[in-house]
Structures are given as structure tokens and as C-alpha cells.
Amino acid sequence: MLDTEPDLSDRIFSDFDFSSGAVAAVSGGSDSTALLFLLKDHLDRTQSAAKLLAVTIDHGLRPGSAAEARAVAQLCAERGIAHRTLTWSGGKPSTGLPAAAREARYRLLAEAAEAEGTRLILTGHTADDQAETVLMRQARDEGARDEGTRAEDGRDGGRGLAGMAPATLYDWRVWIARPLLGTRRAVLREMLKRRGIGWIEDPTNVDQRFERPRVRASLAGDDGAQRFEAAIARTRQAAAEREALGRRAAMQIGAFARQPSPGLIRLDRAFAASDDGEGATYALRMLLATVGGVSFLADEARSRALFERLRIGPLCATLSRTVVDARRTGIFLYREARNLPAAAPAVDGMLWDGRRRITLSDRSGGLVIAPLGPAAAKRVAEGGAPANLRRMALAAEPALWRGGECVDFAGGDALPPPIPIAPVVAPFARFLPSFDLKPAAAVATLIGAPPLPPSPFPSHDRGGAWAKA
């Protein structure tokens, strides 16, 4: 049941832990403005000492954006709310602008949150936004099927129809929560009107050149209410199915997957004989993407065909930059040797090949990062897997070099202490929706990635994904 009562704050925020404060993303529109004041009401009543920071991101894409940010700052000043405006500076891409703006927005919000000592960002996405998102994704998926192509960004098999997740982990370090996904925009606007609080109307929200305004207009038509309810019902079903499939995939990973040496994953032969072929295929897609360092799951149809081929017997294939070598002794996955990054100066915090996060601190002087290579791998490879596979996997792992000498590598301990070269769960390294917590935690445990940070909304952890990370 969607929220319809005017005073929503206690119901919306009762599950959240605000002991370390929160950042509210406020554009000045009705949804984010309502979020800010509902949140302030809740904190004033329940945790008056909790820090609240409103942050406005000025993307610099419209002439009036700076003035809108100043208006939000003025509103916050009048109500005693701390506020910061952050600007997306620098050049803007000629293509893929919405995605680049989204990435910049969340990066700036995360930086603001960490500066405040909190790992929680709240955004004002509503039930209306959710319905629009699902309808747009459904149209794209149907178009992709009509053209015989793969749905964009891995949104196949109904994954995208789950819509926006109630929470998303950004960059494996900051939580982005969407507490208004069960609330209609009209309810929020009525609340603001009663309080005499205005908001800014973004002209792009009604610009029919863009997809979302067209979908929004269609939901305002005669059959809009029915289409809205159908979209929300669809997203709830898809979200439940996605979470259930993720739990099954996590069980497959926990039961059958091991890492015998750096960069090498071994699956028991029993994995290919699993009764849950759908769950096993989903697990395989995540493992292929993680080993290959790609930011989206391996193609669904190709992964399904690969899994069926694994049931038959030995093979050697490549998918998502990952070599799949199925033998009598197991199914082995490792990064293929092609298209590895060229040698480059090491930078603190860099994500290398989509697979490893490098932490140099003050030890960056003169260091170069490059693949370890076959010669060095041959000297150090050892462990419980076929020697040739260990060497090939390790050769594709990152190593730090100074003056032609290897000073450290993934899985090595050349320095006291070693330079952290931490693995990442590649398809979720940037954005991890709460739908996928279980399988992401299982993969993190498998490869030795850092555990998921503590949740600021413990009751949303349906079954202890954090405890197992």
C-alpha cells in the first residue's frame, strides 16, 4: 500500500540510523524539498543532535541552475538547515551526458557525505519516478527484443523492471537511500502547500524532447492511474524475483566456488550439474564479470548457452574478458591476456582494469602499475590448482614496479606491510543496488574484497548479507 497520509516522516524514516548524520540531496524541486523538511521534522523529534546537511548539485547545464542553487541555500538558511552547493566543473561530454551528470552528482554527494563523517545520502525519488522508470525500461527491453538485440547495461531477464532500489551502495563506501519510493508526488506537494513552502519547477521536466517527460505526460492521461498501478505492481514482483534469484546465486557461489590462487576462480564440477540452472547461470554471470573486470553482468543468453555447454563436458571459451577452462578437475575462470592495461604511473585509489583498487598512501613515488607478466608469474605461482592455470591467472594480475623491479603484486607480500591491491566486485564496484546484496556479498567473500560497510537501515538487511560479507 502506497503512503497517502500527509505527515509521513515517522513512517518513512523509522528504520534509519541517523547517529552519524545524513546528507539530503536537494535540487529545489518539490520531491527533494519535501524530503528535506520531512527529514528535518523527524530528526527534530527523535534525534535532535543528528547532523543534517542539504547539498545542491549545480551541473551547470542550464542558465538558471546557479540561481536555483542560491534559492535552495536561502530556503535552508531561513529554516536553520546547513547547506552546501557543489558544482560540476570542467568539460562536459558531447555524448552520454545524462549518465555523466549522474556519475558526477553521486560523486560530489559522496564526497560531501564523507566530509561530514556520514555514509548516508538521501534522495527524493518518489513512486511516480519509480513508475516512470519501469515504463521506460520496459519500452527499451521490448524494443531490444523486437530488434533481436541485448537489453542495455545487463537489464535483461526482467532485472531492470525491478526499478530503482530502495538503497544503493555507491563506490562500495556510501549508501544512497530513496525513502520516498512508496510516496506519490501529489501527496508531497500538498504537504508543502499546507506549510507554505514553495519549490522550483525544472523546465526539463516538461520538455517533450526527453523520454521521461513524455512518459510522465502519458501517466497524466485518462488511463494514467491504471498504468501507474500496473507499473508499481510489476516492479514489486520483479524486485522480489530479482532478490530471490540473487539469494539462489549466492548459495551456488558459496557451495561451489573457491579461489585457489590470486586471479583464479575454481568451480566444482558439481556446479554444472546443479538442479537450479537459473540460479547457477546468474552466479556464472556475476563471476564472469568480476573476473573479467567489466561493469555489467555477462550477456544472459550467452551465459545460459555456456552453462548448458558446461553440463556436457570439457571446454575452453571466453566471455566478458574471462577465460572459462572446464576440465575433469574443475571449472576454472581467469582474466584473458588480451587488452590488459598498459604500464602507467600508479595513482592512489585507482581502479585497475576494473578489478583491483590500489591504495598507495605516501608510497607512490616512482611506482608504475602493469600486469605481472608470464616471466614473473612463473617464478611465484604456486598453490592448489593446475600450474599452467595459476601462472596464466597471475600473469594478468596487477603488479607495482619501480625501476624495472617488481616491488609488489596482487596476492604478494613484498613490502612490510604490502601495498593494498584489493579486489573489487566489478559489476557492483560503482553501484550496488540493495536487490543484489546477497550475491555481491558472496562474491566479495570469495575473492577477498572488502566487506560491505555497515547498513544505516539494519531492518532492510533481509537475511544478513552484511554478516556474511
Side-chain angles (χ1 to χ4, degrees):
M1 182 90 180
L2 294 174
D3 292 318
T4 56
E5 298 177 8
D7 188 3
L8 307 171
S9 59
D10 287 337
R11 189 187 321 177
I12 290 170
F13 302 115
S14 60
D15 288 341
F16 286 80
D17 175 9
F18 293 112
S19 58
S20 65
V23 165
V26 185
S27 66
S30 61
D31 304 344
S32 61
T33 301
L35 168 74
L36 177 64
F37 284 96
L38 288 169
L39 178 56
K40 186 175 188 302
D41 288 349
H42 177 76
L43 294 179
D44 285 347
R45 286 195 300 271
T46 63
Q47 292 178 256
S48 58
K51 295 185 296 182
L52 171 59
L53 174 67
V55 173
T56 302
I57 306 300
D58 179 4
H59 295 90
L61 298 176
R62 292 184 291 106
S65 62
E68 292 169 0
R70 289 194 295 271
V72 176
Q74 179 62 33
L75 177 65
C76 289
E78 293 170 355
R79 307 294 174 124
I81 301 172
H83 176 270
R84 289 180 61 192
T85 296
L86 301 177
T87 303
W88 181 26
S89 57
K92 308 296 189 291
S94 57
T95 59
L97 183 59
R102 174 175 176 261
E103 170 63 29
R105 178 166 61 254
Y106 287 127
R107 173 178 57 80
L108 291 169
L109 287 169
E111 290 172 0
E114 292 196 311
E116 289 294 303
T118 182
R119 291 181 178 266
L120 177 58
I121 298 166
L122 304 180
T123 69
H125 295 100
T126 66
D128 299 77
D129 294 313
Q130 185 74 296
E132 294 159 10
T133 297
V134 171
L135 289 172
M136 289 190 296
R137 291 181 179 177
Q138 182 181 22
R140 291 176 197 148
D141 287 352
E142 290 172 352
R145 286 195 295 271
D146 290 343
E147 296 174 8
T149 59
R150 179 174 64 87
E152 183 183 358
D153 294 335
R155 289 196 299 268
D156 45 82
R159 278 174 53 83
L161 297 185
M164 292 179 284
T168 297
L169 182 62
Y170 172 76
D171 209 26
W172 211 263
R173 58 194 172 98
V174 177
W175 291 99
I176 301 167
R178 305 176 180 93
L180 302 183
L181 284 182
T183 307
R184 295 299 305 266
R185 178 172 293 118
V187 173
L188 299 173
R189 291 189 168 189
E190 283 301 317
M191 182 269 292
L192 292 175
K193 288 177 182 177
R194 283 195 302 273
R195 298 187 182 194
I197 301 171
W199 62 85
I200 298 166
E201 293 287 2
D202 184 344
T204 61
N205 287 336
V206 294
D207 190 336
Q208 295 293 299
R209 293 175 298 174
F210 300 102
E211 181 183 20
R212 187 175 291 274
R214 293 197 299 271
V215 173
R216 185 169 297 171
S218 73
L219 287 174
D222 294 339
D223 63 344
Q226 292 84 355
R227 294 186 68 210
F228 171 85
E229 293 296 341
I232 293 299
R234 188 180 303 114
T235 192
R236 286 174 173 163
Q237 179 181 354
E241 292 172 352
R242 180 166 164 179
E243 289 187 355
L245 183 59
R247 288 193 293 271
R248 289 154 51 195
M251 292 175 62
Q252 298 280 340
I253 293 167
F256 298 116
R258 300 293 181 270
Q259 182 174 251
S261 61
L264 184 64
I265 300 298
R266 179 188 179 276
L267 296 166
D268 294 345
R269 286 298 318 180
F271 173 80
S274 171
D275 293 334
D276 184 7
E278 186 180 25
T281 300
Y282 198 46
L284 182 61
R285 296 177 68 195
M286 292 192 180
L287 292 174
L288 289 169
T290 297
V291 173
V294 297
S295 59
F296 48 88
L297 299 186
D299 181 85
E300 183 180 27
R302 293 178 181 177
S303 298
R304 189 183 302 115
L306 174 60
F307 179 75
E308 292 303 320
R309 182 64 183 82
L310 289 171
R311 290 184 184 273
I312 298 173
L315 66 81
C316 190
T318 302
L319 182 59
S320 289
R321 308 198 313 183
T322 297
V323 176
V324 182
D325 190 328
R327 306 181 175 196
R328 179 182 56 81
T329 55
I331 301 166
F332 296 91
L333 311 179
Y334 59 91
R335 170 71 162 93
E336 67 173 330
R338 295 188 304 164
N339 301 317
L340 288 166
V347 178
D348 185 44
M350 70 185 297
L351 182 61
W352 186 85
D353 196 37
R355 297 184 289 137
R356 294 278 186 169
R357 182 82 64 186
I358 314 299
T359 305
L360 298 174
S361 299
D362 59 351
R363 292 170 287 186
S364 58
L367 287 175
V368 170
I369 185 167
L372 183 63
K378 186 175 182 179
R379 293 194 297 269
V380 299
E382 59 182 37
N388 65 323
L389 296 184
R390 295 198 309 269
R391 288 195 297 268
M392 287 187 286
L394 193 56
E397 288 293 282
L400 292 166
W401 304 78
R402 180 183 286 118
E405 179 184 355
C406 179
V407 297
D408 204 5
F409 61 92
D413 56 359
L415 296 180
I419 293 172
I421 308 178
V424 301
V425 184
F428 303 122
R430 193 56 110 193
F431 294 100
L432 170 57
S434 54
F435 304 132
D436 301 311
L437 289 177
K438 281 283 189 178
V443 176
T445 299
L446 171 67
I447 65 175
L452 298 173
S455 165
F457 25 86
S459 66
H460 288 217
D461 181 13
R462 303 175 184 177
W466 289 277
K468 297 178 176 59

